[in-house]
Amino acid sequence: MIFLVINLFFALFLIYETISVEKKENVYEGGSNPVISNLMLMAINVCFFTLVISLQGKTTAMLFSTLVKFCFVLEGCMLLNMAFSLPYFAWKYTTSLTIFVKTLLQIGVLFLVMINFKNVRISDVNGIEINSAYIFSGLTRKYFPWTWVTLYNILLKYVIPSFMALVMLLQNERTATKLERYKGYIYVMALLSMWFLSFCLDLATRYVSAFSVLHYGIYIPMFVIFIYGAKMNSAPSGRSIVSFTVKSISLYFLPAVVMGGLFMFLYPLTQASKLVFIIATFVGAAAIVFVINSISLIISRSKLGHSSDYALAFEKALASIDYSGEMDDIAENMFQIFKQNAESSSMSVYINGGNDTFELAYASQKRSKQLVGFANLCRSLLNDGRNIVASFQIESDNNLVEYRSELKKFFAETKSDIFFILNEGRDVHGLILLGIKENNEHYKEYDLNVFKKLYSYFFVFGYYMRNISNKEIIGTVNRELRMSSQIITSIQDNIDILNNPKMDAGCIMVPAHNIGGEFVDMIRLTDTRHMFVVGDLSGKGIAASMNMVILKQIIRAYLSETHDFKQLVVKVNRFIRDNLQKGTIFEGMFAIVNFENDTMYYINCGIPAILLYTESYNNVIEIQGSGHILGFVKDISPYISIKQIKLNKNDIVLACTDGLIESHSLRGEKFGKERIQRYMVANAMYPAHRMAQFEYDELVKFMSHEMEDDVSVLVMKYLKSNASEKAEAEAMKAKMYDSLGNIDSEDAIKQFEKFENFVQNIEGSEEV
């Protein structure tokens, strides 16, 4: 029974791995990664074998033997597939000859097993027993006492895989990249793991024959290593290899050996009491897991736990920073994260003190309390789109030639090797400086790319250092509120005003209690595209408002590196979940208006209302559709979609937060969407900003008491479209033609010039 359960576990694990790998399929030129097909074949094989074991004693001996032999046929086919996949990894394609040879060998396996495995039995005492004749006779048998089972194992497990691995390695040495060569070594390690476990299982079956029923377990580490190799996308450094080896031996190999030995030692207890065996095994496994966790914790805190390919571990550590503690503790935590992952020898944080100076806020080593004369350098670098600069770039990057002398002076004076410019738009509010690495090496291109990718985390840290825990600013609660309100209001008003003749956009943001977590942002993407964001972050007061400020800046930062609309929202969701206070959610809307094709693309992130007024029907409809709030799930992509609408002349789009809809009058009546729609129709002739203001004014009259919630309203009024301009030009042309017959030639020329000036900037004007 215990072997049935273990084989069932093997089957479930292989099925899980098959599904997991298929979701992240690594496609080659010739098709899919062969690891998937091998995994799938192995999963089917183990599932079938588990089913066959469960039929033991419930069917005839001949049928049972045939079913087990079929399992061996499947196993042989899997081993051949695995062996022939090794050259495929080197060449990235297969040939007709290879397929033909593999097919012949698989047919040979079928005949070898079905004809020469005479009788196969499985029992709880003797395990798998196969009756098979000797291949040789006479004196030869004395030196080669091989049966057909021996030939099966030697050929399929050792000879053919060894030959194919050698072919792969030779081809890799001739043509492959460093990464492909390293992957080849990983695949050879996978084979070695299978051979080693096969040897261990042979030893174990000499003491307990029943262990042979677990022979499919020897393939699981092999497939795990194959999957690891297939997923690699960069060649690791020497430190990474050492780290991987230490972790593999201490966290996987040794525990597996100990657990296997414990199972062998305790298995005889099944003869006396199966309950005692189960309890003892469970206690032993729990003790091993406890030891593994303890070792893992020790390794993670040491240098061996952090390879030079540290991006994932670095991001995880940055996301775990708790900003509710003291400023010095948080800064020290940030330094330790840099030290463990990037091997930084020191860290300094400077805050903009005005008058071209930066004041020291934190230093892991003794540093100057003030930096003077570098503000213009930082602003110039920002104008060139650089917010992280490393010392190695001074000589290697020709675009930094004009700053070379200033950068050399900066690095020498600050004793740093790389620095981060923390900015809001074009305003520099701080610097993070890292000293040279602990092994006296400079930061490399890999480090720079990782830092750029994770810049948003450093922005949050810098913003915290400047605005939340600056001890000189926080004097009293009232003073804090007053200053925060001024800062937040100025940041809220910092939007890219729309300057396009096709659209008039206006908004209003009114917090219920001095400051809040709602905002409206307008971001110019190009001359013909503009982004609009309406957001309502959960919470009240300073915490919500600070989250709003950070998120608004993060959206702009992500826009510089993300050009996929949906992916932008996915990244914003991940930032909210991983970096803002736990439980923070975002309800709002992201929209992009393309003036070239008169289309608005938008994603509903839980905003309660997006309303569209059309002049032709003189009514208002809801277009928000379904949406999903941000910050609730880790991956938002399955729950959001991009919608679009065509905008015509005098169409009006209004988006608002729930403060406008859900507010109540003294009688307990909601303001509601119907009133908003009614006032949209009534005020459609006014500019967009006044329409937004009128909605708020009507709300104030309706409530007749203090506001219950923040209110944000965005109104976008489309003044003219390509179709309306072309129609107007056509009408003017017809009118001109009608009038030409009644005027002289000189007046006709003037009329034509007037018409030509009118249509020259209209799409399709040449046709008109």
Side-chain angles (χ1 to χ4, degrees):
M1 182 64 182
I2 186 66
F3 296 118
L4 176 65
V5 173
I6 295 175
N7 276 284
L8 180 61
F9 172 79
F10 290 161
L12 293 175
F13 177 80
L14 289 167
I15 291 171
Y16 169 80
E17 284 296 310
T18 304
I19 296 171
S20 177
V21 173
E22 193 169 14
K23 285 183 178 179
K24 305 171 183 177
E25 183 176 347
N26 188 9
V27 177
Y28 284 73
E29 292 176 19
S32 301
N33 187 336
V35 172
I36 297 174
S37 57
N38 292 334
L39 256 177
M40 189 177 298
L41 185 58
M42 192 66 204
I44 294 170
N45 192 355
V46 179
C47 287
F48 187 73
F49 181 73
T50 306
L51 178 63
V52 171
I53 294 177
S54 67
L55 296 176
Q56 184 180 359
K58 300 176 183 178
T59 183
T60 63
M62 182 177 294
L63 177 60
F64 186 81
S65 176
T66 303
L67 292 175
V68 178
K69 285 195 280 186
F70 185 69
C71 292
F72 281 103
V73 172
L74 288 177
E75 181 182 350
C77 291
M78 181 278 299
L79 288 168
L80 286 172
N81 264 0
M82 179 271 298
F84 277 82
S85 68
L86 296 175
Y88 181 82
F89 286 127
W91 272 274
K92 305 296 185 299
Y93 64 88
T94 189
T95 63
S96 301
L97 178 62
T98 305
I99 296 172
F100 177 72
V101 172
K102 183 174 70 172
T103 304
L104 281 181
L105 288 173
Q106 288 173 338
I107 295 172
V109 168
L110 176 65
F111 280 97
L112 187 152
V113 172
M114 289 300 183
I115 295 175
N116 295 293
F117 287 22
K118 297 299 183 183
N119 186 28
V120 183
R121 297 185 300 274
I122 297 178
S123 66
D124 293 336
V125 177
N126 298 320
I128 301 176
E129 296 177 282
I130 305 174
N131 292 334
S132 176
Y134 286 101
I135 301 174
F136 306 107
S137 60
L139 186 63
T140 308
R141 184 192 298 179
K142 181 179 179 181
Y143 297 100
F144 297 100
W146 293 357
T147 65
W148 291 104
V149 175
T150 310
L151 180 66
Y152 173 94
N153 287 321
I154 290 175
L155 282 179
L156 298 179
K157 291 183 182 177
Y158 300 99
V159 175
I160 297 176
S162 299
F163 177 75
M164 293 301 180
L166 181 62
V167 171
M168 174 193 67
L169 292 177
L170 291 174
Q171 176 65 14
N172 282 348
E173 290 300 321
R174 289 179 57 249
T175 61
T177 62
K178 181 180 178 181
L179 172 60
E180 294 299 329
R181 287 199 299 273
Y182 186 82
K183 283 187 174 184
Y185 303 144
I186 294 292
Y187 300 143
V188 172
M189 284 180 58
L191 288 180
L192 291 174
S193 72
M194 178 190 67
W195 296 339
F196 175 77
L197 289 177
S198 180
F199 172 76
C200 292
L201 185 64
D202 287 341
L203 287 179
T205 53
R206 293 179 186 178
Y207 296 96
V208 181
S209 300
F211 286 162
S212 59
V213 180
L214 302 177
H215 81 284
Y216 284 112
I218 68 175
Y219 300 116
I220 288 180
M222 179 186 73
F223 279 112
V224 170
I225 298 173
F226 263 118
I227 294 167
Y228 170 78
K231 290 194 297 186
M232 290 185 65
N233 52 26
S234 62
S237 61
R239 182 181 170 188
S240 300
I241 296 173
V242 172
S243 175
F244 172 76
T245 304
V246 170
K247 288 180 180 179
S248 299
I249 293 174
S250 58
L251 300 181
Y252 301 102
F253 177 74
L254 288 179
V257 172
V258 173
M259 190 64 201
L262 178 67
F263 187 84
M264 286 182 60
F265 177 76
L266 296 176
Y267 184 73
L269 293 176
T270 57
Q271 304 300 322
S273 173
K274 290 186 178 180
L275 179 61
V276 173
F277 168 76
I278 292 172
I279 294 174
T281 304
F282 178 79
V283 172
I288 292 172
V289 170
F290 175 77
V291 173
I292 291 173
N293 287 335
S294 301
I295 296 173
S296 177
L297 188 61
I298 294 171
I299 292 176
S300 65
R301 291 175 177 174
S302 68
K303 289 185 178 181
L304 289 175
H306 301 272
S307 68
S308 58
D309 313 304
Y310 55 84
L312 293 176
F314 191 32
E315 182 174 12
K316 184 178 180 180
L318 290 172
S320 68
I321 295 177
D322 182 7
Y323 286 98
S324 62
E326 294 294 326
M327 179 184 72
D328 292 340
D329 295 337
I330 293 170
E332 179 64 23
N333 187 18
M334 176 63 79
F335 169 55
Q336 292 301 325
I337 291 173
F338 272 114
K339 186 176 181 179
Q340 287 185 351
N341 293 277
E343 300 182 78
S344 303
S345 61
S346 65
M347 184 185 84
S348 306
V349 181
Y350 287 87
I351 301 301
N352 193 339
N355 299 321
D356 200 19
T357 64
F358 291 96
E359 304 290 340
L360 183 66
Y362 168 83
S364 62
Q365 297 179 3
K366 189 175 181 180
R367 291 288 183 265
S368 301
K369 291 189 176 181
Q370 194 177 72
L371 294 179
V372 181
F374 296 110
N376 287 333
L377 171 64
C378 295
R379 283 191 287 269
S380 300
L381 290 170
L382 284 177
N383 288 333
D384 284 349
R386 299 174 183 271
N387 47 24
I388 304 177
V389 180
S391 62
F392 78 86
Q393 293 179 284
I394 296 177
E395 303 298 334
S396 63
D397 194 335
N398 293 327
N399 294 321
L400 292 175
V401 170
E402 58 181 305
Y403 311 118
R404 187 166 291 171
S405 59
E406 288 184 88
L407 286 171
K408 286 182 178 179
K409 179 183 176 183
F410 178 88
F411 285 120
E413 186 172 323
T414 59
K415 299 178 183 178
S416 60
D417 199 55
I418 192 170
F419 69 96
F420 305 70
I421 303 173
L422 307 173
N423 63 294
E424 294 175 7
R426 296 300 175 190
D427 297 327
V428 180
H429 66 74
L431 301 171
I432 299 177
L433 284 63
L434 300 180
I436 197 167
K437 292 196 172 190
E438 290 182 314
N439 55 8
N440 289 323
E441 290 186 0
H442 295 286
Y443 294 92
K444 299 181 176 63
E445 190 72 34
Y446 175 81
D447 301 291
L448 185 63
N449 291 333
V450 171
F451 294 155
K452 287 179 178 178
K453 179 183 177 183
L454 303 178
Y455 177 79
S456 59
Y457 293 98
F458 309 130
F459 170 82
V460 173
F461 171 72
Y463 195 89
Y464 171 88
M465 294 290 289
R466 183 191 180 197
N467 291 310
I468 297 180
S469 288
N470 191 324
K471 295 174 182 177
E472 295 180 2
I473 292 178
I474 303 176
T476 64
V477 174
N478 290 334
R479 184 183 175 199
E480 180 184 312
L481 287 170
R482 184 167 60 253
M483 294 188 68
S484 298
S485 178
Q486 294 171 356
I487 294 169
I488 291 163
T489 301
S490 65
I491 293 175
Q492 278 182 325
D493 294 338
N494 182 25
I495 61 179
D496 300 339
I497 300 298
L498 180 63
N499 185 21
N500 191 297
K502 283 191 170 185
M503 176 179 277
D504 172 30
C507 64
I508 185 170
M509 297 166 282
V510 183
H513 306 290
N514 197 24
I515 52 178
E518 293 190 2
F519 69 98
V520 176
D521 202 4
M522 305 181 193
I523 307 170
R524 178 186 176 277
L525 303 178
T526 65
D527 290 338
T528 58
R529 292 189 304 140
H530 218 84
M531 173 174 277
F532 300 87
V533 183
V534 180
D536 178 7
L537 283 161
S538 59
K540 304 292 180 187
I542 291 178
S545 61
M546 287 301 176
N547 286 341
M548 176 272 293
V549 170
I550 292 170
L551 186 62
K552 184 174 177 180
Q553 186 66 23
I554 286 299
I555 292 171
R556 290 175 175 259
Y558 282 162
L559 275 170
S560 63
E561 62 186 45
T562 305
H563 304 292
D564 183 286
F565 187 25
K566 183 175 180 178
Q567 192 61 32
L568 170 70
V569 179
V570 171
K571 292 183 72 173
V572 170
N573 172 76
R574 178 63 65 88
F575 179 85
I576 293 170
R577 182 175 172 83
D578 293 345
N579 296 277
L580 299 186
Q581 186 177 5
K582 188 175 181 180
T584 301
I585 59 173
F586 170 97
E587 298 178 357
M589 172 200 76
F590 291 78
I592 295 177
V593 176
N594 188 333
F595 299 110
E596 288 184 325
N597 59 8
D598 302 323
T599 303
M600 184 178 84
Y601 306 91
Y602 61 99
I603 296 176
N604 177 7
C605 300
I607 195 167
I610 306 176
L611 307 174
L612 173 66
Y613 166 81
T614 54
E615 185 183 48
S616 56
Y617 296 102
N618 194 36
N619 70 345
V620 180
I621 59 173
E622 294 186 45
I623 62 170
Q624 68 268 14
S626 60
H628 202 288
I629 58 176
L630 305 187
F632 189 72
V633 296
K634 194 167 186 178
D635 182 12
I636 197 69
S637 55
Y639 305 100
I640 59 174
S641 60
I642 301 175
K643 304 178 180 68
Q644 68 180 64
I645 57 167
K646 198 78 173 176
L647 296 174
N648 299 305
K649 183 179 180 181
N650 292 331
D651 281 356
I652 302 171
V653 177
L654 183 147
C656 64
T657 57
D658 57 1
L660 182 64
I661 301 171
E662 301 294 332
S663 294
H664 294 80
S665 67
L666 291 173
R667 292 175 293 185
E669 186 182 359
K670 282 185 182 181
F671 190 70
K673 295 179 182 179
E674 291 184 1
R675 284 187 175 83
I676 300 173
Q677 295 172 347
R678 190 161 64 244
Y679 296 133
M680 280 183 69
V681 176
N683 300 314
M685 73 290 298
Y686 291 101
H689 179 74
R690 293 195 66 186
M691 288 187 67
Q693 184 66 49
F694 287 156
E695 294 283 354
Y696 173 71
D697 292 343
E698 294 296 338
L699 174 66
V700 172
K701 293 177 186 177
F702 172 80
M703 292 175 61
S704 301
H705 61 86
E706 288 187 0
M707 290 179 59
E708 302 170 349
D709 196 1
D710 302 344
V711 174
S712 296
V713 182
L714 169 66
V715 176
M716 295 174 283
K717 190 172 184 179
Y718 217 65
L719 304 178
K720 52 185 176 180
S721 62
N722 295 334
S724 65
E725 287 184 336
K726 190 169 182 179
E728 191 174 343
E730 291 281 6
M732 186 172 180
K733 171 184 137 182
K735 183 178 179 182
M736 184 192 72
Y737 285 165
D738 289 341
S739 62
L740 285 179
N742 302 321
I743 58 176
D744 56 31
S745 60
E746 186 175 341
D747 288 338
I749 291 172
K750 290 179 180 179
Q751 287 278 10
F752 183 79
E753 288 176 348
K754 179 180 178 183
F755 169 71
E756 188 178 33
N757 290 334
F758 177 78
V759 301
Q760 62 183 350
N761 292 321
I762 298 175
E763 183 181 342
S765 58
E766 293 182 2
E767 177 188 348
V768 174

